[in-house]
Amino acid sequence: MEKVNYGIHLYININNLNSVVKKDENNHDNLCRTFHALNTFTAIIEKFANEFDDIAIEKFTTSRLHIYIPVNNTADKIIEETIELVAFAQKLADFINKSSKYQSLVNFQIGCGADYGKYTEFEFTDKDTSLTEMTTIGSPANRAAKLQSLCDNGKVLISKEVYELLPQKYKTLFFGDHAATLKLARKYSDLSAYGATINDLTKQLDNKFAERTSRNLNEAATLINNLNLGDMSISETSNKLDFSNLSLKNSKRIEEAAILFADIRGFTKKVDESNLSEMKQLVQVVLTMMYHEVLGRDGVHVQFQGDRESAVFNKYKNENYDFAIRCILCAMHMLDRVDEINQNRADKLNIGIGCSLGTIYAAKIGIRGQKFNLMMGQTVKEADDAEDNIAGVGLDKSADTEIAITEELYKHLASLSGNIASKIKSTFSERKTNGIKYYISTTRLSEMQTTTANKIVKANASKANHNKGIKPWGFWL
């Protein structure tokens, strides 16, 4: 792990990607155009970023690029680079929208969020599976993501910390966003939002930006023309999802899948020089736990997003347990594992988990050897919302350890026969937020196992008293 850095974390998001997905699927019965356009978008932004020495693209996550810029020279330099990235993303989206290859797509609409603060780079390694994955730890990424989630089309939302770094020519273009600040207060009481339109910012950039834009849009045209849509395919799968077998030319549509996002609350903001060694150890422990819990329930790790795990559990031939049951059992056991971690901690960790059920699309995109694992579709957004806005986010800004599942997933559990589904379902209670039903549980897997074991012991004792014979009892799963 490198030393603690100061810098800007920026999220560039395609706000209307779910609409693009729906229209492309309805018109063409597949998402080849969408994946092709996404690959163009991510690859060319990366080419643009590579013209600067210090810009790093961490991840592409569902519909957004996570980019960070350390302060290696002056704050003015990273502000200029941030503004250029935002402005170019808008230019590139406009260029893609006008391409004849993507003419049937809904226009990509861009929204951005940025925060400034302390973070550190962290390379996760798992010796058992040889997985190596880079991520960043620290609150700026979390806060920037939240700002982006509230950003309207064609705009950028920044924190007060970024606003205070702005040169006057940009500062006059930003205005305090009271409505966004109020929404942020549920989770970040100290986070204030300032908004500006991307087009207004673009007008302040010089000829060097125009030259870079022209050069990279030419690269976009080449990339668009070099891959024919006819060379791409999106197929159904009846097997367990395997991202290593996917590429831009070979993507998958999964009709029945459960998505899980798990996020440890409240410790990334504590990154500083004094506890760096402890942070490194804790992050490794937490991410290893999440990763192996997913694998242990026959799930598929997608990617780490800071201190957050994203995973998919899909239905496949001869699965031992229903995919949704595996997903929720994974979540419940994560709660147990966090309790174990907390046994030796005065400063307790809390975990928020969101799960959803439905159809997803899976692919690998990006210029660096098609590096980014991608899950896409409304189901993914629903799990993301459940984790980010519902689990452990009460009206009193509590950070309780909770699992939040969507109504669709709850109904699926209700449709299943057998004791396991019934017992899982009984641990959830309804919570309605903004008119949307979610179901919440704080039950650990160990609690359910103990309750089940006690019931079996009592049942066997009763059978023995009535000479009905004793059946062996044991824990399930």
Side-chain angles (χ1 to χ4, degrees):
M1 180 185 285
E2 297 182 3
K3 67 180 180 65
V4 168
N5 291 307
Y6 283 83
I8 286 179
H9 283 248
L10 168 69
Y11 279 88
I12 297 173
N13 188 56
I14 302 170
N15 286 350
N16 64 330
L17 186 58
N18 280 332
S19 297
V20 173
V21 168
K22 289 176 182 177
K23 185 169 184 180
D24 197 19
E25 186 175 28
N26 289 338
N27 288 356
H28 304 102
D29 199 31
N30 65 49
L31 295 185
C32 289
R33 287 166 178 78
T34 300
F35 282 130
H36 198 299
L38 280 174
N39 189 71
T40 301
F41 186 74
T42 58
I44 299 304
I45 286 184
E46 185 164 14
K47 278 184 173 291
F48 184 90
N50 285 343
E51 295 200 16
F52 302 89
D53 295 332
D54 49 358
I55 297 177
I57 295 182
E58 181 182 319
K59 296 276 169 58
F60 182 75
T61 60
T62 308
S63 62
R64 63 193 183 190
L65 279 159
H66 176 199
I67 301 169
Y68 60 98
I69 313 170
V71 181
N72 291 330
N73 295 301
T74 66
D76 283 353
K77 183 174 184 292
I78 64 170
I79 290 296
E80 288 293 333
E81 293 176 1
T82 301
I83 299 299
E84 284 208 26
L85 282 166
V86 169
F88 179 71
Q90 184 65 69
K91 294 283 188 183
L92 178 59
D94 292 342
F95 183 83
I96 288 172
N97 294 340
K98 294 174 183 176
S99 170
S100 59
K101 185 164 285 189
Y102 312 135
Q103 61 184 345
S104 61
L105 288 173
V106 176
N107 289 345
F108 280 180
Q109 300 294 325
I110 303 301
C112 304
D115 184 39
Y116 172 83
K118 292 186 294 186
Y119 69 94
T120 188
E121 295 172 327
F122 178 76
E123 186 170 78
F124 172 85
T125 56
D126 184 74
K127 62 182 180 180
D128 294 333
T129 59
S130 300
L131 175 69
T132 299
E133 188 174 330
M134 215 293 292
T135 188
T136 57
I137 304 299
S139 61
N142 305 60
R143 288 156 55 102
K146 194 65 179 176
L147 284 159
Q148 171 272 303
S149 71
L150 298 174
C151 189
D152 293 333
N153 297 338
K155 294 186 177 181
V156 56
L157 278 180
I158 63 173
S159 65
K160 183 178 180 181
E161 287 75 9
V162 176
Y163 180 78
E164 290 177 344
L165 296 176
L166 294 175
Q168 193 61 29
K169 68 175 182 177
Y170 296 129
K171 190 170 284 188
T172 58
L173 301 176
F174 281 87
F175 298 92
D177 191 322
H178 182 65
T181 299
L182 285 177
K183 291 178 181 178
L184 292 166
R186 284 191 67 199
K187 196 168 183 180
Y188 300 102
S189 58
D190 61 339
L191 183 54
S192 299
Y194 293 78
T197 63
I198 297 175
N199 286 338
D200 285 346
L201 295 172
T202 304
K203 293 174 184 177
Q204 298 296 321
L205 296 172
D206 58 21
N207 290 334
K208 289 183 179 179
F209 169 74
E211 292 169 3
R212 265 192 286 270
T213 296
S214 177
R215 183 164 56 249
N216 282 279
L217 292 184
N218 286 336
E219 293 276 358
T222 300
L223 185 59
I224 289 170
N225 293 327
N226 280 350
L227 179 63
N228 294 322
L229 291 169
D231 295 333
M232 300 174 63
S233 67
I234 298 179
S235 58
E236 305 281 343
T237 181
S238 58
N239 299 317
K240 183 179 175 181
L241 181 62
D242 183 356
F243 277 99
S244 67
N245 293 331
L246 303 186
S247 68
L248 184 59
K249 293 184 178 181
N250 176 33
S251 303
K252 296 294 181 183
R253 182 180 189 273
I254 302 167
E255 187 72 29
E256 295 181 277
I259 304 301
L260 177 147
F261 286 101
D263 178 67
I264 295 290
R265 314 295 201 200
F267 76 92
T268 56
K269 65 182 179 182
K270 300 174 184 177
V271 172
D272 58 38
E273 296 285 0
S274 64
N275 67 352
L276 186 55
S277 177
E278 178 190 351
M279 282 297 303
K280 176 180 178 180
Q281 183 179 12
L282 181 59
V283 170
Q284 182 69 42
V285 167
V286 170
L287 295 187
T288 300
M289 177 274 285
M290 291 178 172
Y291 175 64
H292 281 282
E293 287 304 318
V294 168
L295 299 188
R297 300 292 168 183
D298 224 6
V300 178
H301 166 75
V302 180
Q303 60 181 214
F304 296 119
Q305 300 167 5
D307 58 326
R308 183 164 88 151
E309 162 73 348
S310 59
V312 56
F313 299 77
N314 69 295
K315 183 175 182 179
Y316 63 88
K317 291 183 298 185
N318 303 320
E319 59 181 350
N320 291 324
Y321 289 95
D322 178 85
F323 63 101
I325 287 178
R326 289 188 283 114
C327 177
I328 296 181
L329 290 178
C330 174
M332 287 180 162
H333 202 215
M334 281 185 181
L335 303 192
D336 278 312
R337 298 297 305 279
V338 171
D339 289 343
E340 294 171 12
I341 293 171
N342 280 334
Q343 286 178 2
N344 298 315
R345 288 185 59 84
D347 185 11
K348 304 299 185 186
L349 299 178
N350 292 295
I351 187 169
I353 303 176
C355 305
S356 65
L357 178 144
T359 299
I360 68 162
Y361 295 85
K364 289 180 79 74
I365 65 170
I367 195 171
R368 293 180 291 189
Q370 295 176 349
K371 178 178 180 177
F372 301 120
N373 293 344
L374 177 65
M375 293 190 299
M376 198 163 64
Q378 182 64 24
T379 304
V380 181
K381 185 178 186 304
E382 289 169 356
D384 187 14
D385 288 344
E387 180 274 308
D388 193 40
N389 298 317
I390 307 301
V393 186
L395 293 176
D396 58 351
K397 299 193 291 289
S398 64
D400 294 334
T401 290
E402 289 184 337
I403 303 166
I405 67 173
T406 61
E407 185 177 15
E408 192 70 23
L409 179 47
Y410 185 80
K411 288 180 177 179
H412 177 82
L413 290 174
S415 72
L416 297 175
S417 60
N419 288 334
I420 295 178
S422 176
K423 291 180 186 300
I424 291 174
K425 177 176 169 288
S426 69
T427 69
F428 284 86
S429 58
E430 182 181 319
R431 178 187 295 169
K432 185 175 287 188
T433 302
N434 296 326
I436 301 174
K437 283 184 183 178
Y438 296 91
Y439 292 83
I440 309 298
S441 176
T442 59
T443 301
R444 279 69 170 156
L445 181 57
S446 60
E447 295 176 60
M448 202 156 54
Q449 289 172 324
T450 300
T451 301
T452 301
N454 289 339
K455 286 183 178 180
I456 293 174
V457 169
K458 290 180 180 179
N460 284 343
S462 176
K463 290 176 182 177
N465 289 336
H466 292 86
N467 296 318
K468 292 183 179 180
I470 299 176
K471 293 183 179 180
W473 64 274
F475 294 120
W476 48 270
L477 293 181

